[in-house]
Amino acid sequence: MMTWYQKLKFNSNPLDVRPNYNLVGLEREESQLKNHIIKEEICFLNGLTGSGKTSLLMKLQKEMKNHKFIYLDAHDLPSDFQLEEELRKKRSFFDKLRLRNYPAKRPVLIIDEFQATDPNLVLKARAKWENPNEKKIKSIVISQISKHLRNVTASFKERLGSRIVVLGTLDEDEMKQILFNRLQTRKKRVNYAEKFDDDALSFIVKCSGGNPRRLLEYADEIFDFHHRKFGDRNPILTDNYTITYYGAREILGLDKVHVEGFEHLGARREAILKGVQKTRTSALEKRFSKMERRILRFLKNNPKTAEDVAQRFVISKSYASKHLSSLKSKKGILFAGKRDKSNLWQISPDVKRLMVKV
């Protein structure tokens, strides 16, 4: 029996909640952590479950190729764990050839789920970081959910100081970008995030409360429901099917997700169907395709290049240029100068007027 994502031609589940390098909205926090590591400091990564702590730590290890890392999940450490032995494992061939007991290139120690760490291990790690006669560790990064560090001494907190990196909740655009990044199929040039209408997409984002893991779980539930209910007749496989606010709300409600507090989100669609805004929305829909309307919203505040559009919607530059060319021919965008030899585009004044909400 095939899964929903195999039917949609994904090799694996694109909405898998396990740690993933493809992060959105954490660029500033990533830069902060890298800076602390380069400066050989102790720092603290704090954030709620599902905010991306472990994913960010994995990305650091992948991208900082000129550093050695020791990654420890304090929940999984054996009772006989020896920090000295882990340090010796990081010795290079030349370290061993020169009979070094520890690596010449000092590794960075990462302790995830730090609240479960044995206080004795904390003392040993700190000594190997700051003791002038040892200094076997370059930097220490600790990570946990709670902002309160209960298993360390007051002097450790003093060493830490204000070097605390906090992962907050993501905004609506960043949450939506996660789904557009995950649900793009390059071979078919289909992005299944577009199967959600605007209200449905906003609804699951609001229900997720800025938490990426919950967002992925809720989107997965919706795709899986369609697959289990319809099988080979899954309407998501058709070109003209859209997941509505009401459909998303009903599916998540069946899976015991608290949706009652977000009922007002459907009111906007009712207003569009009944009020003045209907004329404005219809004018945009009649003039531009769904993808073109999404690009116009992206260009609304600042001029962008084809590269910006390609990166935002996870499509090729040539495909982005094709859409921009179509928008130009429909007088939806205007040339706005250049940036690094690339053309900048902005929305035209009449389209901006159509996009103004009543």
Side-chain angles (χ1 to χ4, degrees), residues 299-353:
L299 300 177
K300 185 177 180 181
N301 295 321
N302 296 296
K304 302 290 193 305
T305 66
E307 290 90 341
D308 295 330
V309 173
Q311 184 176 5
R312 171 65 175 80
F313 297 106
V314 199
I315 57 178
S316 66
K317 181 183 174 183
S318 61
Y319 201 45
S321 297
K322 179 181 177 182
H323 283 297
L324 290 171
S325 178
S326 175
L327 284 168
K328 180 185 176 185
S329 67
K330 295 177 182 179
K331 302 189 185 309
I333 59 175
L334 300 171
F335 177 69
K338 287 184 176 288
R339 186 181 70 202
D340 298 331
K341 298 183 180 180
S342 296
N343 289 343
L344 284 164
W345 301 99
Q346 64 184 10
I347 62 173
S348 62
D350 64 315
V351 169
K352 183 173 284 191
R353 285 192 293 271

Side-chain angles (χ1 to χ4, degrees), residues 268-280:
R268 183 166 68 85
R269 182 166 291 276
E270 298 293 336
I272 291 173
L273 293 173
K274 294 179 181 179
V276 179
Q277 209 171 21
K278 177 182 178 182
T279 304
R280 298 189 176 195

Side-chain angles (χ1 to χ4, degrees), residues 202-210 214 218 252 257-259 262 265:
S202 293
F203 170 71
I204 63 171
V205 166
K206 294 290 186 183
C207 286
S208 304
R214 283 202 295 268
Y218 295 164
L252 294 186
V257 176
H258 177 70
V259 297
F262 305 98
L265 290 172

Side-chain angles (χ1 to χ4, degrees), residues 65-79:
K65 299 183 183 299
N66 60 335
H67 286 71
K68 292 179 180 290
F69 288 89
I70 297 176
Y71 174 84
L72 306 178
D73 185 329
H75 273 316
D76 297 332
L77 289 181
S79 57

Side-chain angles (χ1 to χ4, degrees), residues 21-34:
Y21 299 131
N22 191 6
L23 299 174
V24 172
L26 300 180
E27 295 82 7
R28 182 177 63 85
E29 291 83 357
E30 179 183 342
S31 177
Q32 285 179 292
L33 284 175
K34 287 180 177 178

Side-chain angles (χ1 to χ4, degrees), residues 9-10 21 42 44 51 63-64 75 88 90 92 119 134 156 177 181 193-194 208 217 237 240 259 302 306 311-312 342:
K9 307 301 182 184
F10 288 100
Y21 299 131
I42 294 179
F44 174 25
S51 60
E63 293 190 349
M64 299 184 76
H75 273 316
R88 291 189 184 99
K90 294 298 177 181
S92 68
E134 295 193 52
F156 184 94
Q177 186 61 46
N181 287 354
E194 294 180 356
S208 304
E217 289 174 352
L237 294 167
N240 58 353
V259 297
N302 296 296
Q311 184 176 5
R312 171 65 175 80
S342 296

